[in-house]
Amino acid sequence: MADPMRIRAQAADGKATVRVLMSHEMETGQRKDAAGNTIPAWHIQQVSARWNGATVMNAQWGPAVAKNPYLQFAVKGAKAGDKISITWLDNRGDNRTDEAVVS
Amino acid sequence: MQTRREILSGSASVAAMLAATGLLPRLAHAQNVPGYKASAFESKSIADAMAALGVAMPSESTDIRVTAPDIAENGAVVPVGAATSLAGVKSILILVEKNPNVLAAMFDVSDAVEADFSTRVKMGQSSNVFAVALMGDGRSLFAQKDVKVTLGGCGG
């Protein structure tokens, strides 16, 4: 199981800005190790966000997203006390879900 | 005495058992998430990526905003944002023209989120970064920005 995400969600002006920092290697599949073998790609492929249980955003990522990915987006109408949860799935079948409360 | 054929079929069934119980290394079983648009993410050019997604080549628009630094010191971590104020956006894409695979990220926009995303991407070399908005009415619009990379992010 991967390390937890860090999620901050702050409400202002009728929307909540969500900032997420995930912990993932995001190996591209382009690099080679010391022996010259290609290191297989290992990256997050899908990220979804739920606002009080309802899915509001789905994203698909390629390996070009940087290591330990950062994501910022805004949920319209979310207010303090609402729950935002983020889920990611990677190409090795690993996944992680974390939740934060809008402040 | 076993024949070669028997040994081979025996080891194949052992491997199948191992796979069934999940004992084989997971590395060997890297699999795409269901619904993952692998062909689009493996595209080597923007035209290919658009074709793989089944959308028309985008036209430039001032309503799309791409935010990226003029000069990125470290290509491994380049902050990029894509946004638009237009209504009726279906998806927002971030593409890096000279990366081995051009499509970096695709965000599906729902009514509840703003069409404004920021993330960080890897860039192998100096390149144009594109933000593409796929509109609900079938149009696709883009904005681009040239980013100079001092140190590439794809080296090993």
Side-chain angles (χ1 to χ4, degrees):
Chain A
M1 195 69 174
D3 292 333
M5 284 176 252
R6 294 171 60 189
I7 306 173
R8 285 192 63 159
Q10 282 180 311
D13 305 329
K15 62 178 186 183
T17 303
V18 183
R19 295 182 182 86
V20 191
L21 207 50
M22 304 165 207
S23 174
H24 201 282
E25 199 59 39
M26 298 300 282
E27 189 61 57
T28 58
Q30 306 281 340
R31 299 196 308 153
K32 292 187 166 49
D33 64 14
N37 302 315
T38 302
I39 304 171
W42 174 32
H43 61 96
I44 293 174
Q45 290 190 315
Q46 189 176 313
V47 180
S48 54
R50 273 185 295 278
W51 170 32
N52 289 339
T55 301
V56 290
M57 192 271 298
N58 265 309
Q60 293 197 353
W61 284 358
V65 174
K67 179 177 175 171
N68 296 333
Y70 168 80
L71 170 64
Q72 182 186 325
F73 64 98
V75 180
K76 287 186 253 184
K79 53 192 186 304
D82 287 356
K83 289 192 173 73
I84 302 280
S85 85
I86 310 284
T87 302
W88 60 250
L89 300 140
D90 74 11
N91 65 333
R92 284 192 194 172
D94 203 357
N95 66 82
R96 172 140 201 124
T97 301
D98 286 288
E99 191 174 76
V101 176
V102 177
S103 60
Chain B
M1 166 111 186
Q2 279 181 306
T3 65
R4 181 167 172 272
R5 186 178 297 256
E6 280 164 2
I7 293 169
L8 280 176
S9 69
S11 60
S13 63
V14 168
M17 272 163 53
L18 284 175
T21 50
L23 286 175
L24 277 185
R26 301 259 294 282
L27 255 183
H29 286 269
Q31 266 184 358
N32 289 334
V33 170
Y36 188 64
K37 295 188 169 58
S39 59
F41 280 97
E42 282 161 10
S43 302
K44 307 260 185 265
S45 74
I46 290 175
D48 286 354
M50 292 300 142
L53 290 170
V55 295
M57 270 307 271
S59 49
E60 190 149 17
S61 165
T62 50
D63 292 321
I64 316 294
R65 200 155 39 85
V66 55
T67 44
D70 295 325
I71 297 176
E73 297 249 326
N74 182 358
V77 189
V78 183
V80 174
T84 176
S85 50
L86 294 175
V89 185
K90 212 169 59 170
S91 306
I92 297 264
L93 317 179
I94 296 175
L95 303 105
V96 182
E97 189 175 21
K98 287 187 184 164
N99 266 7
N101 301 316
V102 291
L103 182 56
M106 181 171 90
F107 300 93
D108 287 344
V109 180
S110 73
D111 290 339
V113 292
E114 291 190 350
D116 184 347
F117 298 96
S118 300
T119 184
R120 298 199 275 239
V121 300
K122 288 178 272 219
M123 292 178 63
Q125 56 180 305
S126 299
S127 166
N128 275 332
V129 175
F130 289 81
V132 176
L134 308 180
M135 310 300 289
D137 57 11
R139 284 183 303 157
S140 54
L141 307 167
F142 79 88
Q144 60 176 317
K145 187 173 196 314
D146 185 30
V147 178
K148 296 254 181 300
V149 174
T150 322
L151 181 68
C154 291

